[in-house]
């Protein structure tokens, strides 16, 4: 089985920063892409950022503030979040899509932006 473990969430003041990490382990037969989704209370889960072969994609609402990256040779993905806003409060989920076209999800990590 594949496991994704997120870390780095927490409580931060508006304008602050957090760095989320996600480590994938298990029987992953090649990684096609890795990314981050979030679920804001009362809303559907939405894509935040993704990376595939070094190419990054961002949701418009986080462009210029969030940066996704991956570790070379590691099944690890990061999300650097700067200038956080209360609207960013959500549960953030790591996702991996394998070369077998299978998607795997982490359990999520809570990010709360509040004064």
């Amino acid at each position: 089985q594949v496991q994704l473990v997120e870390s780095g969430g927490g409580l931060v003041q508006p304008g602050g920063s957090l760095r989320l990490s996600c480590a994938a382990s298990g029987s992953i037969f090649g990684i096609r892409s890795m990314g981050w989704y979030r679920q804001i209370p009362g809303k559907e889960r939405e894509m935040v950022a993704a990376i595939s072969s070094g190419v990054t994609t961002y949701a418009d609402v986080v462009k210029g503030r969030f940066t996704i990256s991956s570790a070379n040779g590691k099944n690890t993905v990061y999300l650097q979040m700067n200038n956080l806003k209360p609207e960013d409060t959500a549960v953030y989920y790591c996702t991996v899509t394998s070369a077998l076209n299978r998607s795997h999800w982490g359990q999520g990590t809570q990010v709360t932006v509040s004064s």
Side-chain angles (χ1 to χ4, degrees), residues 2-83:
V2 174
Q3 291 184 318
L4 302 178
V5 180
E6 302 104 332
S7 63
L11 174 65
V12 65
Q13 294 183 353
S17 298
L18 286 173
R19 190 190 192 205
L20 305 183
S21 299
C22 174
S25 62
S27 300
I28 305 177
F29 294 90
I31 295 176
R32 179 169 182 158
S33 64
M34 304 183 75
W36 292 91
Y37 282 66
R38 69 186 183 186
Q39 188 157 23
I40 297 171
K43 298 180 63 178
E44 298 295 319
R45 189 174 298 184
E46 62 185 14
M47 190 275 290
V48 176
I51 185 168
S52 180
S53 299
V55 179
T56 58
T57 304
Y58 298 94
D60 287 342
V61 293
V62 306
K63 285 182 179 177
R65 299 189 297 122
F66 291 11
T67 303
I68 188 171
S69 62
S70 62
N72 291 336
K74 301 288 185 179
N75 294 333
T76 305
V77 65
Y78 306 95
L79 185 67
Q80 178 67 46
M81 304 184 293
N82 297 327
N83 191 24

Side-chain angles (χ1 to χ4, degrees), residues 97-113:
T97 301
S98 74
L100 299 178
N101 200 32
R102 297 175 181 175
S103 295
H104 306 276
W105 295 85
Q107 294 300 306
T109 184
Q110 177 70 48
V111 172
T112 302
V113 185

